[in-house]
Amino acid sequence: MPSTSVTTPEDADQRRAKQPVIVYPVGSLPEPDMDGLVAMRETLVKIDEVIVPPREGGSFSVLKGHFVRFVSVEGPQVGDLNLWNAQNLSERFFSGKTRALHATHVTTGNRLWSTLPYLRPMATITHDTLGWYGFDKDGAGVHDVIGTRCDPYTNKLLSGGNYHHCCHSNLTRAMAQATGLSEAEAEPHVHDVLNVFMCTGFTHDTHQYFMKASPVRPGDYLELFAEIDLLGAISACPGGDCSATHSSDTAACYPLKIEIFRPDMTLLEDWSYPEANGYIWP
């Protein structure tokens, strides 16, 4: 049988010592007009509200130029968020590109980008009451775009059990209810998420993805400005604050509230909404 041992080369230290290079320099990336968004925030009027029960999913719609807040109520709770172009479901949130353009965790001023070939901002984060958290001693931050979402297939693989309230399942049902699609038709539209309020990182030793108790408390919220017409779904994760487990009924779980706001629309008369990416195939 061939040996699986690996020999360390003599120049290993020199190879490791190479300087890192940022993959996507973002100096030319269009910046959101945060001053304009701050002015709009002063005029917000709530026009709709949705309560998502614990261990369930819920859907919502936001017209471009409007704001949506995801609010902690009753107790610490994580939410898994999906976004689609309301007029074209093939354009949806692209967590990987959002991570590459911004960071592993997002906050105020960062934008949520859409899939190829559209690649444009779907929403801009306008306020984050957990923006104070930063990164802790474990390397953890809040609102990650690295986790995929808990799902019944991985749960089956690892535990052998069937659990029907994983975030993937909740998002599928919410998306089906919102669109009139069957659950089988809706499931392929469910995609990697923004983990709202979730506190995560990679371990220093094995570099494994970890979760820890979310710092979210009732009244905390993450707020987005819709750059295009959005259909969204969010799952109140069965892990609750994700301090111990997920994909089970053992964690304490709480509702999430979705609030939709309309600003003074006269402030948007000259607003420049993002067009789909201009790349043309040769």
Side-chain angles (χ1 to χ4, degrees):
M1 183 176 178
S3 172
T4 58
S5 63
V6 176
T7 301
T8 302
E10 292 183 0
D11 65 345
D13 289 341
Q14 291 93 322
R15 297 192 203 182
R16 292 191 183 103
K18 299 300 181 183
Q19 293 299 305
V21 177
I22 298 298
V23 175
Y24 292 112
V26 294
S28 62
L29 198 66
E31 293 284 342
D33 179 1
M34 295 304 296
D35 289 340
L37 292 168
V38 167
M40 278 186 256
R41 293 188 72 245
E42 297 296 322
T43 72
L44 296 183
V45 175
K46 188 161 80 167
I47 60 173
D48 198 9
E49 177 180 298
V50 176
I51 300 294
V52 181
R55 294 189 175 86
E56 297 290 348
S59 64
F60 57 94
S61 295
V62 193
L63 293 174
K64 67 179 182 181
H66 289 57
F67 292 71
V68 57
R69 287 180 187 170
F70 307 100
V71 188
S72 169
V73 290
E74 296 185 20
Q77 177 64 46
V78 162
D80 284 39
L81 176 66
N82 269 190
L83 296 173
W84 298 268
N85 179 338
Q87 275 73 52
N88 175 13
L89 296 178
S90 67
E91 182 177 9
R92 61 194 190 185
F93 174 53
F94 192 174
S95 66
K97 192 61 70 177
T98 299
R99 179 173 65 248
L101 291 174
H102 296 300
T104 55
H105 300 73
V106 292
T107 189
T108 303
N110 294 152
R111 310 179 95 171
L112 307 184
W113 294 81
S114 68
T115 46
L116 308 180
Y118 312 98
L119 194 60
R120 58 175 163 175
M122 302 182 79
T124 297
I125 301 176
T126 49
H127 197 68
D128 173 15
T129 65
L130 296 177
W132 55 267
Y133 192 89
F135 288 89
D136 62 28
K137 64 179 179 61
D138 297 311
V142 183
H143 312 308
D144 84 67
V145 282
I146 47 180
T148 55
R149 65 201 174 276
C150 59
D151 69 87
Y153 306 100
T154 305
N155 183 69
K156 181 74 170 179
L157 177 69
L158 297 177
S159 74
N162 294 314
Y163 186 72
H164 307 301
H165 289 277
C166 296
C167 288
H168 176 88
S169 314
N170 295 341
L171 291 168
T172 297
R173 286 188 287 266
M175 204 269 187
Q177 185 173 14
T179 60
L181 296 172
S182 69
E183 290 178 7
E185 293 169 325
E187 186 177 20
H189 292 285
V190 173
H191 50 279
D192 288 351
V193 297
L194 165 57
N195 281 309
V196 178
F197 304 139
M198 194 169 182
C199 189
T200 60
F202 294 100
T203 60
H204 295 308
D205 50 0
T206 60
H207 304 286
Q208 289 175 284
Y209 181 53
F210 72 82
M211 61 187 188
K212 62 189 293 185
S214 173
V216 69
R217 296 293 181 268
D220 280 322
Y221 64 89
L222 183 71
E223 179 187 273
L224 310 179
F225 171 75
E227 303 277 4
I228 62 174
D229 292 344
L230 296 174
L231 170 65
I234 193 167
S235 167
C237 181
D241 70 352
C242 290
S243 59
T245 186
H246 59 74
S247 302
S248 78
D249 291 331
T250 60
C253 292
Y254 302 94
L256 289 172
K257 181 165 64 172
I258 304 165
E259 297 178 320
I260 311 297
F261 295 87
R262 182 183 61 240
D264 178 352
M265 299 306 289
T266 63
L267 298 176
L268 285 153
E269 288 176 353
D270 298 319
W271 194 260
S272 179
Y273 293 105
E275 299 290 337
N277 192 272
Y279 174 76
I280 301 173
W281 280 86

